[in-house]
Amino acid sequence: MQAQGADLSVTAAEGVDLLVIGAGMAGLTAAARAVTDGLSVAVVESAPDVGGSARFAGYAWTAPDHATMDAHNPRGDRPLKRALVDRFADGIDWIRSIGVEAKDAQPILSFGRGHQFDTNHYVDTCRRLIAEGAGELLLKTETEQLLVEDGAVTGADVRGADGGRRRIRATTTLLATGGFQGDPELRTAHVHPHADRMQLRSNPHSTGGGYRLATAIGAATGTENAGFYGHLIPSGIPFADPADFVDMSLYYSEHALLLNLHGERFVDETLGDHLTTMALLDQPESRGLLIADARVFRDWIVGSYVEGAVAVDKFALAAKRGGRVGLAGDLDELAYLPEEWGYDAETVRDAVRRFNEQVTTEAGPAPGRALDRLPLEEAPYYVIDTVPAITFPFHGLRIDDLARVLDGDGGPLPGLLAAGSDTGGLWDRAYAGGIASALVFGLTAARTAVAAAHLRVPA
């Protein structure tokens, strides 16, 4: 039987070993690996092109070992964390094996290790491998429902841009639609009540397709209040194109101060801009004042955030685009912030002065500064009014370390896999590499599908 009522206008059933719903990093990785291993594959993508948000990335990185992963992501699902760390090197080997250069390992953030690679070259190469392996790619095609027979997922009904509908049967079906960050309703339900305030720092086609398909047949989800991956951006500046996702992200906040509308620090900024971004969403109006001095400007604003990355003067760019930015010649000038910004200027000045005094004491400031304990005392001061932007949520479909989607009792839903940002449980108010996760669990899904195809039973 089917999970939901079928429309009898569906064309005759067609069968493949692996049906992949979503053609981003995870889905293309799984499909390319599967056709390389001899499986028949069909890929369904709602967007007019492949790649998803992976086209805007440039690194695959994660924690280098289990101890580091546990220290930085203590509440994440343990089997998933271990799988990501243990299989990451194999993922880099796979990238290189298909002719895409992955550069030597380098430090990422304060704790990670990773490799720079051309993600556009990678996804286009995966697409070519799928075509050469006689795989089918259906663009601008929506998946209407999963098919369920005798308790196992056996494919899906899809609808093309012309309205034509097809039933694709599959031994294994993989959900890799990229998360639900493009759907404000799901964001407010599962990320934060104010998540609809955030700009979307990703492709607009990831609107929860995989999440809805799986939950309609009883898939487990989680975890709640797990947060999201994103970065601080200047307030009031809409993204003009995908290049802004990097150029407008204020990574240097790890070395600056962030004050809320009351002129208070509320987080240890040095633990990572991506964590500070989650914390800012909880603050009044989800808005904060980011303050850097000349040292931070010199070393981190106009310097490369990661070795090999193109340096962009984010302060100058924000000013050019009409953001709320200010330059104070000395500490006292911070007391002349524009009133319409909504901050008490003297409170802001006093907060920076107090931080500079506290950071040199044994007790230190509160909240603490785990990494950069230097004062901000080298004029001038660079000020930007900031807000959070979302790339993808950490809430999603629960999977095991074979990429099998789990049901409410914790057992696998036969025939159904998930990978990439459709999944939840790996990250919980923490993050160590979305591209790495999509790569590793995309390859894992392919291996699970290969095993199922050889056994001729659902994964």
Side-chain angles (χ1 to χ4, degrees), residues 46-69:
S46 62
D49 195 11
V50 303
S53 296
R55 289 199 180 273
F56 316 137
Y59 294 83
W61 73 276
T62 193
D65 52 58
H66 297 306
T68 304
M69 176 65 81

Side-chain angles (χ1 to χ4, degrees), residues 68-242:
T68 304
M69 176 65 81
D70 289 342
H72 288 271
N73 182 26
R75 294 181 298 275
D77 182 276
R78 188 171 186 270
L80 300 185
K81 292 190 298 184
R82 298 190 74 82
L84 177 56
V85 171
D86 290 342
R87 300 170 194 169
F88 179 66
D90 290 340
I92 299 302
D93 288 344
W94 158 254
I95 292 174
R96 291 168 172 161
S97 75
I98 62 174
V100 177
E101 180 188 12
K103 295 185 178 179
D104 292 341
Q106 66 181 78
I108 305 289
L109 297 183
S110 62
F111 65 92
R113 295 284 291 176
H115 304 261
Q116 185 179 26
F117 74 111
D118 186 336
T119 52
N120 284 282
H121 185 200
Y122 177 77
V123 298
D124 289 337
T125 299
C126 286
R127 178 176 183 164
R128 175 178 57 79
L129 290 173
I130 293 165
E132 291 175 352
E136 185 175 17
L137 175 62
L138 303 173
L139 298 176
K140 295 190 286 187
T141 301
E142 298 289 340
T143 302
E144 295 187 323
Q145 65 181 3
L146 298 175
L147 306 176
V148 180
E149 298 175 356
D150 298 325
V153 175
T154 58
D157 287 340
V158 304
R159 184 185 72 254
D162 62 357
R165 302 177 70 244
R166 294 173 57 179
R167 173 163 295 163
I168 304 176
R169 295 195 177 275
T171 304
T172 303
T173 299
L174 169 65
L175 299 174
T177 64
F180 57 74
Q181 60 272 12
D183 186 300
E185 181 180 346
L186 286 174
R187 291 208 316 252
T188 55
H190 299 294
V191 176
H192 192 281
H194 301 317
D196 56 340
R197 294 177 177 176
M198 293 187 287
Q199 280 203 68
L200 182 61
R201 189 181 173 271
S202 87
N203 82 86
H205 301 285
S206 294
T207 56
Y211 187 90
R212 289 190 172 92
L213 289 167
T215 55
I217 63 166
T221 64
T223 52
E224 295 299 335
N225 196 35
F228 64 96
Y229 173 60
H231 286 289
L232 297 179
I233 62 171
S235 67
I237 303 178
F239 290 131
D241 59 56

Side-chain angles (χ1 to χ4, degrees), residues 436-456:
S437 171
L439 172 67
V440 165
F441 288 100
L443 292 173
T444 297
R447 286 194 293 271
T448 299
V450 168
H454 289 165
L455 293 172
R456 297 189 181 278

Side-chain angles (χ1 to χ4, degrees), residues 199 231-237 248-253 256-261 266 273 276-277 280-281 283-292 314-315 318 323-325 341 343 382-389:
Q199 280 203 68
H231 286 289
L232 297 179
I233 62 171
S235 67
I237 303 178
M248 300 301 292
S249 292
L250 306 176
Y251 305 130
Y252 71 86
S253 75
L257 292 186
L258 186 65
L259 307 178
N260 64 17
L261 282 174
F266 53 92
D273 180 76
T276 299
T277 297
L280 183 58
L281 189 58
Q283 298 301 305
E285 296 185 23
S286 301
R287 190 158 59 89
L289 201 63
L290 189 63
I291 303 173
K314 295 172 185 290
F315 182 84
R324 286 176 166 174
V325 305
W341 288 16
Y343 300 88
Y382 299 80
V383 180
I384 301 182
D385 187 46
T386 66
V387 293

Side-chain angles (χ1 to χ4, degrees), residues 359-372:
V359 80
T360 60
T361 66
E362 184 176 353
R369 294 277 282 193
L371 299 177
D372 189 337

